[in-house]
Amino acid sequence: MGWSLAVHGGAGPSKHRTYEAEEAHMTALLERGADMLDDGASALDVVTAMVRELEESGQHVDGKGASANSEGVYELDAAVMDGAARRAGAVAALVGFRAPILAARAVMEKTPHVLLAGQGAAAFCGRQGLEQVPDPAAYYTPAVKKALVQGELAHGTVGAVARDASGRLAAATSTGGLLNKLAGRVGDAPLIGSGTWADERVAVSCTGQGEFFIRAAVAADISARMRYGGQTLHAAAAGALADMEAQGGDGGLIAVDAAGNVTAPFVSEGMKRGIATSAGRFEVKTFR
Amino acid sequence: MIWRAAVATGVLVLACGVGVAAAQTTGPATAPAAAAPVTWSLAIHGGAGVIERSRLTPEQDQAYRAALSEALAVGAAVLARGGSALDAVEATARLMEDNPLFNAGRGAAIGADGTVTLDAAIMDGSNQKAGAVAGVMTTRHPISLARQVMETTRHVFLIGAGADQLARERGLEQVENSWFITPRRWRMLEQVLTEDGLPLPPRPPGLDLPPRPTSSMAGAQLAEDTRSVESRFGTIGVVARDSAGRLAVGTTTGGLTGKRWGRVGDAPVIGAGTWADRSCAVSATGTGEYFLRLTVARAICFEAERPGTSLQQAADTVIHRDLTGMGGDGGVIVMNAAGEAVFSLNTEGMYRGQVSSAAPARVMIYADEADGLVGTAAAARPH
């Protein structure tokens, strides 16, 4: 059986600039992910590794590229879901740790819980021995310098979805937040069924104005359209996104289904994205 | 909402199904329910779990029924005078948050560090707007804070100190965290932490505990209490349909006794423990992690859109097939646009009640209390 992989670096890009560095990094990343899948790695391990690299790159609004919130604190969210076992782990408003996606994975694998938030989540990560950020001001290099104006919705997330050679699906999402984000604000990324989802038929990672993705439960909606409506992956993803847009939001998503189909629709100006499959498809793009 | 043709068919089927279900479940005494159209409707839950007749004394049984009846009366009064579903949900939830019998607000489960942290969500089905909070420590009514998030910010979900900060800015009543703590819950915390081999946190000053059980039998009873689902994962929830046909839902919880690490369950997560759209509203209670992994509330509303599926079948399919299949425990209250309310649970009991413009209030505790409310053949539906 073949494999499929997709990654995204957020739906925030503006046509006022180019994204050559990001695209070059994403190309190298996809090649690494393709190698892993060729070697028989699990979808779960591959999406975790992809998101970990995106966090570390500092090129996107997550991980190293995150900005401080209105209190001057770097709060990060992440989630991972293993479709084969329908297991999930997530962290919200996590402060002080370098790899939110590894924190989410630890929640999934080391606790009976799904979502840990705030100081409690940080205490858990400390106990797990996850790598800390001793000096936030020195570590973080915000990918977007612009501050949010009061009430503006944050925008910027990374994610990965994969179907491995054994047919298992997984999704992972991680997000930082923009300068001046309201303290304690949580978007869709760590919410299972909103920004992140994987089951036996589809894996989804979303990016965009998270509030609208929560209200429409976009990721769960895609699975339901396929399950109950018999829709194809492309129709389901486009339809769920259109419903979200109809409420006034913007953004995009990547999704892969059990047959290995991949889709990456967006209703924003652009979305940093890459797709690779064992059938030879390989593309990295930011705009249409 | 999504497959519009399918929804239209479903509504017709459901409309026909209401009378049939009513006749089956309530018998001849309330048969006129089918004739009187529902203008407003309200259903509530106060947690699901190991609630057996042998566990509750007659006094406890009566206290819970009285609390449920009182909550129904408050919400019904709002709806009967033409108030919105959202107002009814908030008013009902506030009362239940204040009642120490339920795991929400005062009398909520206490975390391993000796503090109460509350989660809540509210959703307006008419426009799919939502607000949610987690880790609230000083705001007396988390449901009202969730509503403030929905109505006065552009956000949906606020966590921790930022959430309480918003409450202060909006003038919501603030209390000391110890105000939420009751002696009964403290005893449960001690029991759970002892069982888990964790240290006991300092007791809040002024909290007088009832004497420790002296007889081994009473001790065993307390142990049973703490293992009961009611103490481990109670919740309160409300669904309502107003006379303008709008649906709304609200859910509040203190989460798990002895919880650690900032654990957040399904209650504040839109789609998992709380969901409302134009045709369906759900509030859930139970082992939250399983409800998150199944997005239970959203899944029930998807099931209900399938042509030929009754509301009861939709709820039972997700609870008795999917939730039970995964190993989760709990229950839900579900309401459709016609104001039909159903319950589904795979536990021994769920504190619950319902009332509508067409039917008097009913309150129930044990799973087998009303024939046909749980375990219909829907669980056997093909996947």
Side-chain angles (χ1 to χ4, degrees):
Chain A
M1 276 172 100
W3 51 259
S4 299
L5 172 66
V7 298
H8 72 74
S14 138
K15 287 194 172 166
H16 297 301
R17 55 163 282 205
T18 59
Y19 292 84
E20 281 140 12
E22 287 87 342
E23 288 173 1
H25 178 262
M26 202 170 264
T27 299
L29 186 63
L30 266 186
E31 283 166 356
R32 192 145 58 250
D35 286 346
M36 288 179 75
L37 287 161
D38 269 337
D39 290 345
S42 72
L44 181 63
D45 283 344
V46 173
V47 298
T48 306
M50 295 295 100
V51 168
R52 181 71 201 99
E53 294 275 338
L54 289 163
E55 287 176 344
E56 203 66 9
S57 74
Q59 291 178 335
H60 315 283
V61 184
D62 78 305
K64 188 171 172 60
S67 292
N69 68 15
S70 58
E71 311 278 312
V73 178
Y74 294 83
E75 283 184 343
L76 294 90
D77 305 333
V80 63
M81 191 159 187
D82 173 6
R86 196 76 81 86
R87 293 183 304 162
V91 288
L94 178 66
V95 176
F97 289 85
R98 185 159 171 164
I101 196 63
L102 296 185
R105 181 126 181 214
V107 172
M108 179 173 88
E109 295 181 336
K110 305 287 174 56
T111 81
H113 304 308
V114 170
L115 175 57
L116 301 184
Q119 292 173 356
F124 167 74
C125 292
R127 214 183 149 95
Q128 288 295 315
L130 297 180
E131 189 179 349
Q132 306 202 12
V133 176
D135 182 358
Y139 175 69
Y140 291 104
T141 54
V144 174
K145 308 287 194 298
K146 183 173 92 64
L148 287 172
V149 296
Q150 182 83 35
E152 189 182 352
L153 291 179
H155 216 285
T157 304
V158 304
V161 295
R163 173 199 184 278
D164 63 29
S166 304
R168 293 169 298 191
L169 299 172
T173 311
S174 180
T175 187
L178 295 181
L179 196 58
N180 209 26
K181 180 182 79 166
L182 194 62
R185 176 266 184 187
V186 173
D188 62 320
L191 300 186
I192 301 304
S194 290
T196 304
W197 180 258
D199 56 22
E200 62 280 16
R201 72 184 65 77
V202 65
V204 184
S205 173
C206 300
T207 177
Q209 293 176 320
E211 281 74 4
F212 291 94
F213 283 76
I214 299 172
R215 289 169 51 192
V218 169
D221 194 11
I222 293 169
S223 176
R225 284 165 185 265
M226 295 172 68
R227 179 180 181 180
Y228 298 118
Q231 295 183 6
T232 65
L233 175 74
H234 295 270
L241 204 54
D243 268 11
M244 186 282 305
E245 187 186 23
Q247 293 188 355
D250 75 26
L253 61 90
I254 51 174
V256 57
D257 70 12
N261 297 304
V262 186
T263 188
F266 55 95
V267 293
S268 46
E269 214 172 304
M271 178 171 77
K272 294 175 272 185
R273 63 200 185 276
I275 294 172
T277 70
S278 56
R281 184 175 174 191
F282 193 100
E283 58 191 60
V284 173
K285 284 171 101 171
T286 301
F287 300 105
R288 280 175 213 287
Chain B
M1 288 248 341
I2 289 152
W3 311 290
R4 287 175 179 83
V7 175
T9 316
V11 167
L12 285 176
V13 172
L14 286 173
C16 298
V18 172
V20 176
Q24 282 173 348
T25 57
T26 58
T30 51
V38 171
T39 53
W40 57 262
S41 184
L42 179 76
I44 60 175
H45 70 75
V50 185
I51 312 167
E52 293 166 347
R53 284 183 176 80
S54 60
R55 290 254 171 90
L56 289 184
T57 65
E59 293 75 23
Q60 286 172 322
D61 181 293
Q62 279 312 305
Y64 276 105
R65 287 176 198 275
L68 292 166
S69 298
E70 188 189 6
L72 284 176
V74 164
V78 172
L79 293 165
R81 63 169 183 263
S84 71
L86 212 49
D87 285 345
V89 164
E90 185 183 3
T92 309
R94 284 172 66 98
L95 192 82
M96 296 181 83
E97 285 175 344
D98 273 352
N99 193 318
L101 290 175
F102 302 115
N103 180 7
R106 185 161 162 76
I110 305 164
D113 66 353
T115 65
V116 167
T117 50
L118 302 163
D119 306 337
I122 196 165
M123 190 161 190
D124 180 347
S126 70
N127 52 21
Q128 267 176 260
K129 286 195 171 175
V133 289
V136 168
M137 292 190 72
T138 62
T139 303
R140 177 172 172 176
H141 290 296
I143 195 72
S144 296
L145 179 51
R147 188 165 178 181
Q148 287 290 323
V149 172
M150 176 173 81
E151 294 184 337
T152 71
T153 79
R154 293 190 64 193
H155 302 298
V156 170
F157 200 173
L158 294 182
I159 279 183
D164 280 318
Q165 175 63 30
L166 178 77
R168 284 191 291 277
E169 287 173 12
R170 297 294 187 269
L172 297 188
E173 185 178 349
Q174 298 292 295
V175 294
E176 292 290 325
N177 191 258
S178 59
W179 182 83
F180 294 115
I181 293 177
T182 59
R184 171 171 166 256
R185 294 290 185 193
W186 194 267
R187 278 281 188 242
M188 289 179 176
L189 175 68
E190 288 181 340
Q191 181 77 28
V192 166
L193 293 182
T194 304
E195 280 180 11
D196 293 351
L198 293 170
L200 299 181
R203 197 197 308 168
L207 184 74
D208 294 322
L209 294 182
R212 276 185 183 284
T214 47
S215 74
S216 62
M217 202 170 149
Q221 176 66 45
L222 178 65
E224 285 289 299
D225 267 0
T226 44
R227 269 194 290 276
S228 83
V229 177
E230 182 263 331
S231 72
R232 284 276 194 176
F233 51 78
T235 306
I236 67 104
V238 188
V239 292
R241 186 250 194 212
D242 63 27
S243 52
R246 296 170 297 196
L247 289 168
V249 60
T251 310
T252 303
T253 186
L256 302 174
T257 297
K259 68 183 179 183
R260 292 189 287 167
W261 304 325
R263 179 263 185 188
V264 176
D266 61 318
V269 177
I270 301 302
T274 303
W275 177 263
D277 57 32
R278 283 184 186 77
S279 54
C280 178
V282 180
S283 174
T285 175
T287 45
E289 280 71 11
Y290 294 91
F291 286 70
L292 284 165
R293 290 163 59 194
L294 289 164
T295 59
V296 162
R298 190 71 191 92
I300 289 171
C301 293
F302 282 128
E303 281 285 347
E305 289 187 11
R306 300 174 82 153
T309 303
S310 74
L311 200 61
Q312 187 70 58
Q313 286 170 334
D316 287 350
T317 297
V318 175
I319 296 300
H320 292 288
R321 185 191 67 192
D322 300 343
L323 183 68
T324 302
M326 191 181 262
D329 293 318
V332 289
I333 53 176
V334 187
M335 187 171 285
N336 65 15
E340 180 192 3
V342 303
F343 306 98
S344 185
L345 53 147
N346 68 359
T347 51
E348 284 89 341
M350 178 166 79
Y351 302 110
R352 62 202 189 275
Q354 66 183 113
V355 63
S356 77
S357 58
R362 301 196 291 157
V363 298
M364 292 145 281
I365 297 178
Y366 312 105
D368 58 0
E369 231 172 300
D371 291 345
L373 284 179
V374 295
T376 70
R381 286 182 67 82
H383 185 70

